[in-house]
Amino acid sequence: MLGITAKVRRESRLIWYLQKRFKKVSAKVTNVDRALQYFDIAMPPVYQARWPSIRLALLSKQRYVALLNNFADCDHIIEDLYDLGAMDIRHQYSHIVERMKTAEEAKMKVAETNECTSQELDDQQDTKPVRPSLIELDDDELAARANKEPISRYPEEYQLRAQMQDHEPGSVDVEHSSRVILPSEVGMEGANILHDHVPATKLKGLENWIEETDFFVNTSLGDDEIGIKREAQKEPVNLPSPLKVFSFTKGDITDFPQPKMDNQMKVFTHYVMDGASLMPVLALDLQPGERVLDLCAAPGGKTLVALQTMLPGIVVSNDVSLGRVRRLNNVLRQYIPSCLSQIQESIVVTQRNGCIPWEQEGFDKVLVDAPCLTDRHVLYESDNSIFSPKRAKERLRLPDLQSALLVSALQMVRPGGTVVYSTCTLAPLQNDGVVHMALSKIWQETTIDCCVVDLTHAMRPLSFLYRLGTNLGLRYGQIVLPSLFSNFGPMYFAKIKRLK
């Protein structure tokens, strides 16, 4: 009897050991997984056929540009960059702008001397073979065109994508009816402002869904109802001559050398940054002697770009937390010489809540680079991610914070001045949606009049470097989309002029 009991115990122990040894361990869901799942659900209805290429780019090596420091000796760095195959962005941009101006002038002369009727001109344009300039097309339009025309004319990337495409861009069948807010549900005009949908957001464990509009409402007012005026900027954006920025050509993923210390001025020679971060500062169109506010300045890259233009009279760099202000001060110490008192006196670093205006009509230009989902960052960093279940409420309230920052900026800019709102996310709600909500609040609660500036034509010459999003239904801003050939961004930016 004892022998049988001992045998049973041994078999029980063996079974327990085998169960423990070969027990299937469920994979832990990380914050990166949560972020990627959110994007895979929320972005395809918006970006449709473009989403696979954007997704791949977000998960691939990011590209940067090198901003040269005018306060350091950069001659040897410039030589090194040219040897590596880098190009001066401003030089290339100037050539493209000149060609576009020449083409526009020639087109106007032809229009003036042409005796054909407008209908005859339209017929001629329809029948005449047209070969558009590649700088006016984005990656997906090139792929679609390659699908229609002889494939040998296009780079290999577009050939492969064209062979896989059996439809036009934007015709992907996506089942997203559960997340679409129909026009009838939010008003005739309101749905369009969020690209006719608002993505749902998963919370703890990605089991429970909460619509983001539960936390961010009042999207039903149309543009006319909130007094939005519009104007188009015809002239290309200005790249000031002191601004020296180097980049590698599309498809070249060469790394920039590490910044070197200028032993005389005790500052670094260049600052490596995401090339898309230049766009909001360029959109400000800085002028000599202006008083500029960078409302959410840390870590300081855009403040540096503004300073390197050598145009502003005063730059006020603000952020809300002590830790972020310390990061901002560290960057400024590394790139602005302490011995240049005139430059030092033109920089003011403050720690304030940007949602509360502290100086009414006190600035010529205001940049609002608002806190956002930081799409690229959350796909690589799991620690302290905005997609952590503990930060779910904070994430859902981001649009409220962004809207409050933009409203505050519009109150602090002088009449005739400019505010640029920017984010590094693809989420429509935090981009066009926030601009709409802020302008709605300005209209309802203040006497301020605003005008949205369309930068579509002004930014077109920069297509040689960036993948600019087109045909996305954007109503207020522009967006730089990541792609393998030009892996900058994402970066959304909208330019708003205060009229009174």
Side-chain angles (χ1 to χ4, degrees):
M1 187 67 179
L2 292 174
I4 295 174
T5 303
K7 183 177 180 182
V8 170
R9 287 176 178 172
R10 285 196 300 271
E11 290 177 352
S12 298
R13 290 194 188 105
L14 179 61
I15 292 172
W16 176 82
Y17 171 77
L18 292 174
Q19 288 177 339
K20 185 177 180 181
R21 173 68 177 79
F22 296 103
K23 181 180 179 181
K24 186 177 180 180
V25 179
S26 58
K28 181 181 178 182
V29 178
T30 67
N31 293 330
V32 171
D33 297 329
R34 293 185 178 93
L36 189 57
Q37 186 168 355
Y38 170 88
F39 294 138
D40 283 337
I41 292 170
M43 300 309 168
V46 184
Y47 297 97
Q48 300 189 14
R50 305 181 194 198
W51 172 241
S53 65
I54 295 172
R55 185 185 194 273
L56 181 59
L58 285 172
L59 296 172
S60 302
K61 182 179 179 181
Q62 185 178 8
R63 289 188 61 199
Y64 299 92
V65 298
L67 172 68
L68 299 193
N69 188 358
N70 285 312
F71 307 114
D73 181 7
C74 295
D75 291 342
H76 60 291
I77 290 295
I78 293 176
E79 293 178 4
D80 292 343
L81 293 176
Y82 278 128
D83 290 341
L84 288 171
M87 62 176 174
D88 186 329
I89 290 177
R90 193 173 62 83
H91 290 167
Q92 183 73 9
Y93 178 78
S94 300
H95 293 322
I96 292 175
V97 169
E98 194 61 35
R99 288 202 301 269
M100 290 182 67
K101 286 183 177 179
T102 302
E104 286 291 332
E105 291 172 359
K107 188 176 179 180
M108 290 177 64
K109 289 180 180 179
V110 170
E112 290 173 359
T113 57
N114 201 328
E115 298 179 356
C116 296
T117 64
S118 59
Q119 183 60 46
E120 289 173 337
L121 286 172
D122 290 340
D123 293 340
Q124 290 175 8
Q125 290 172 355
D126 290 340
T127 57
K128 185 183 291 185
V130 178
R131 183 175 183 178
S133 170
L134 294 184
I135 68 168
E136 297 183 3
L137 300 174
D138 69 15
D139 291 354
D140 296 294
E141 290 170 321
L142 279 169
R145 189 172 293 277
N147 198 21
K148 296 178 181 178
E149 301 186 23
I151 288 181
S152 59
R153 287 177 51 190
Y154 292 86
E156 184 178 357
E157 181 197 15
Y158 305 127
Q159 295 178 26
L160 295 175
R161 287 170 53 189
Q163 291 166 1
M164 292 187 292
Q165 288 183 352
D166 295 322
H167 49 265
E168 296 291 331
S171 63
V172 173
D173 294 325
V174 182
E175 180 58 42
H176 57 280
S177 57
S178 63
R179 297 179 189 86
V180 173
I181 296 183
L182 299 175
S184 59
E185 297 176 41
V186 296
M188 187 173 296
E189 298 290 338
N192 291 332
I193 195 62
L194 304 183
H195 293 245
D196 288 339
H197 90 292
V198 176
T201 307
K202 282 188 174 182
L203 297 179
K204 293 182 180 178
L206 299 175
E207 299 99 5
N208 301 316
W209 293 89
I210 291 182
E211 293 293 340
E212 290 177 347
T213 43
D214 291 342
F215 293 85
F216 196 56
V217 294
N218 192 27
T219 61
S220 61
L221 296 177
D223 289 355
D224 293 339
E225 297 176 274
I226 58 176
I228 294 181
K229 301 177 178 65
R230 298 174 184 274
E231 69 176 45
Q233 181 174 324
K234 297 296 185 182
E235 288 297 314
V237 291
N238 178 43
L239 266 67
S241 56
L243 194 63
K244 300 181 181 65
V245 184
F246 279 76
S247 173
F248 294 101
T249 56
K250 281 189 174 183
D252 188 341
I253 58 173
T254 304
D255 290 323
F256 283 102
Q258 289 295 316
K260 297 180 181 178
M261 179 65 70
D262 183 327
N263 293 325
Q264 182 177 355
M265 303 300 289
K266 304 300 180 185
V267 292
F268 286 114
T269 53
H270 62 284
Y271 183 78
V272 178
M273 63 190 300
D274 184 339
S277 295
L278 295 171
M279 303 294 264
V281 183
L282 295 179
L284 282 172
D285 190 22
L286 298 175
Q287 300 298 318
E290 287 186 324
R291 200 161 186 260
V292 180
L293 170 61
D294 189 351
L295 193 58
C296 312
K302 295 179 180 65
T303 289
L304 269 186
V305 175
L307 290 170
Q308 294 300 326
T309 65
M310 312 299 283
L311 292 172
I314 295 288
V315 176
V316 178
S317 297
N318 176 75
D319 221 299
V320 66
S321 69
L322 180 60
R324 294 182 64 81
V325 169
R326 284 174 178 167
R327 291 178 62 193
L328 176 59
N329 277 319
N330 286 338
V331 169
L332 292 175
R333 276 194 296 267
Q334 291 171 349
Y335 288 90
I336 308 300
S338 58
C339 59
L340 298 181
S341 58
Q342 186 177 357
I343 301 298
Q344 289 289 340
E345 290 171 1
S346 69
I347 306 169
V348 179
V349 177
T350 61
Q351 182 188 346
R352 295 175 182 268
N353 181 357
C355 298
I356 303 173
W358 64 86
E359 192 171 344
Q360 297 285 341
E361 303 181 2
F363 300 94
D364 300 294
K365 303 288 171 66
V366 181
L367 174 62
V368 186
D369 188 39
C372 63
L373 292 181
T374 59
D375 296 2
R376 198 180 285 272
H377 177 76
V378 295
L379 292 177
Y380 285 91
E381 293 292 336
S382 194
D383 294 342
N384 199 33
S385 170
I386 194 69
F387 282 91
S388 168
K390 296 179 181 179
R391 301 183 66 186
K393 290 184 179 180
E394 179 186 349
R395 172 161 49 87
L396 289 171
R397 289 169 180 162
L398 271 176
D400 278 326
L401 171 62
Q402 295 161 336
S403 178
L405 288 167
L406 182 50
V407 168
S408 175
L410 289 167
Q411 291 174 324
M412 287 193 283
V413 74
R414 65 169 177 80
T418 299
V419 173
V420 170
Y421 170 80
S422 66
T423 70
C424 53
T425 182
L426 296 163
L429 182 60
Q430 297 187 25
N431 295 336
D432 264 6
V434 165
V435 174
H436 181 84
M437 294 305 299
L439 294 178
S440 176
K441 188 171 184 179
I442 284 289
W443 175 259
Q444 294 172 3
E445 300 179 9
T446 74
T447 59
I448 295 172
D449 281 346
C450 297
C451 174
V452 176
V453 181
D454 182 1
L455 295 173
T456 303
H457 188 273
M459 290 292 175
R460 185 173 295 173
L462 286 167
S463 297
F464 79 94
L465 186 63
Y466 301 104
R467 181 189 185 187
L468 300 175
T470 57
N471 302 320
L472 291 173
L474 289 171
R475 295 174 66 179
Y476 305 126
Q478 316 298 314
I479 193 165
V480 176
L481 300 177
S483 73
L484 287 181
F485 268 23
S486 184
N487 206 358
F488 300 115
M491 180 63 64
Y492 169 90
F493 54 100
K495 182 174 182 177
I496 305 165
K497 185 183 294 184
R498 177 171 170 175
L499 301 179
K500 70 173 185 178

